[in-house]
């Protein structure tokens, strides 16, 4: 059994830690901010208890999962076989974290990034062992969404790609292989969904609520504004900018000033209680 380290206890990291511990792996959740870590611990505890209440998990299983979860804000405690990072969407931060972890981990530790849009090759090239780096892109909410994009960078070894594919399966998820290209598959296809809706709102053609309601009535599970609030407007804006830049700034994918404004105001969506909607 591998020991898993998940970095970043935000929206994605806490969900991924729940998935890994539920699948039977000892899982350490590392977060820079001790207050955020405490909040994540509480959310995870409540999430597992909620599953027991709904009859989806026995109390014994819940206790066993809880036993497998560990929490820390101390990087020196972060030893693992497989690292899955879900920190801020900035290449430099991810490279720095991986390098600090590489210095205190063994020769075979694998470094997986949950990045939505950054180049895996460019992250890997910041490390001494780029063959040990790959993308492992979960979807939100991680405990519920089945799909995981397994992204091979230019240097990713076959051994690492196979290991992460198997790991994804043992998490009860469905791995899909992607090449390392801007936004991979899902985020690239989804980008116009957000951008076109934002353009309509910018032009005053319809309100956020109306656009959401109409698209949901047409069969989409979530309207674009509700979905952006779930993702986090800071994360969604960072991904929009990253995909736009990497594709050579196509006008049709230009990020919206509304996104920038939401981020500047700290209206990040569900996680802050205010986004396009109030929570
Ligand atoms: N939100 C989504 O829907 C979604 C979906 C798939 C992938 N992602 C990707 O997952 C990553 C995280 O996104 P999120 O939505 O969970 O963000 P988030 O803002 O909810 O959480 C990020 C957490 O990382 C912590 N952090 C920042 N720098 C750190 C560091 N150096 N070491 C340890 N912790 C650090 C922050 O304090 C924060 O708690 C991003 O790369 C994002 O692109 C997000």
């Amino acid at each position: 059994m591998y020991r898993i380290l998940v970095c970043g206890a935000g929206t994605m990291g806490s969900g991924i830690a729940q998935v890994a511990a539920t699948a039977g792996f000892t899982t350490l959740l590392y977060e820079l901010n001790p207050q955020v870590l405490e909040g994540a611990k509480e959310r995870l505890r409540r999430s597992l208890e909620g599953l027991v209440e709904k009859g989806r998990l026995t109390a014994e299983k819940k206790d066993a999962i809880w036993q497998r979860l560990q929490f820390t804000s101390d990087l020196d405690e972060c030893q693992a076989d497989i690292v899955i990072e879900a920190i801020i969407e900035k290449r430099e931060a991810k490279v720095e974290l991986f390098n600090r972890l590489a210095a205190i981990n063994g020769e075979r530790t694998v470094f997986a990034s949950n990045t939505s849009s950054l180049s895996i090759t460019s992250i890997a090239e910041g490390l001494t062992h780029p063959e040990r780096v790959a993308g492992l892109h979960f979807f939100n909410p991680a405990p519920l969404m089945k799909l995981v994009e397994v992204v091979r960078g230019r240097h990713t070894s076959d051994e690492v790609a196979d290991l992460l594919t198997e790991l994804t399966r043992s998490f009860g998820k469905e791995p899909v292989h992607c090449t390392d290209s801007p936004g991979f598959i899902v985020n690239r296809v989804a980008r116009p969904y957000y951008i076109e809706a934002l353009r309509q709102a910018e032009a005053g053609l319809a309100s956020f609520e109306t656009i959401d309601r109409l698209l949901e009535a047409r069969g989409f599970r979530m309207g674009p504004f509700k979905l952006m609030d779930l993702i986090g407007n800071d994360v969604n804006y960072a991904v929009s900018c990253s995909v736009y830049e990497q594709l050579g700034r196509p006008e049709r994918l230009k990020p919206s000033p509304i996104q920038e404004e939401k981020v500047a105001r700290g209206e990040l969506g569900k996680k802050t209680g205010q986004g396009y909607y109030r929570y």
Side-chain angles (χ1 to χ4, degrees), residues 6 31 44 84 105 117 160 172 174 191 250-251 253 276:
V6 179
E31 160 68 50
L44 270 166
I84 305 172
N105 274 278
S117 64
V160 165
E174 202 172 306
R191 221 35 40 201
E251 190 54 33
L253 293 184
Y276 294 101

Side-chain angles (χ1 to χ4, degrees), residues 103-118:
I104 56 167
N105 274 278
E107 289 268 293
R108 298 178 64 81
T109 295
V110 167
F111 295 91
S113 173
N114 185 48
T115 179
S116 305
S117 64
L118 299 172

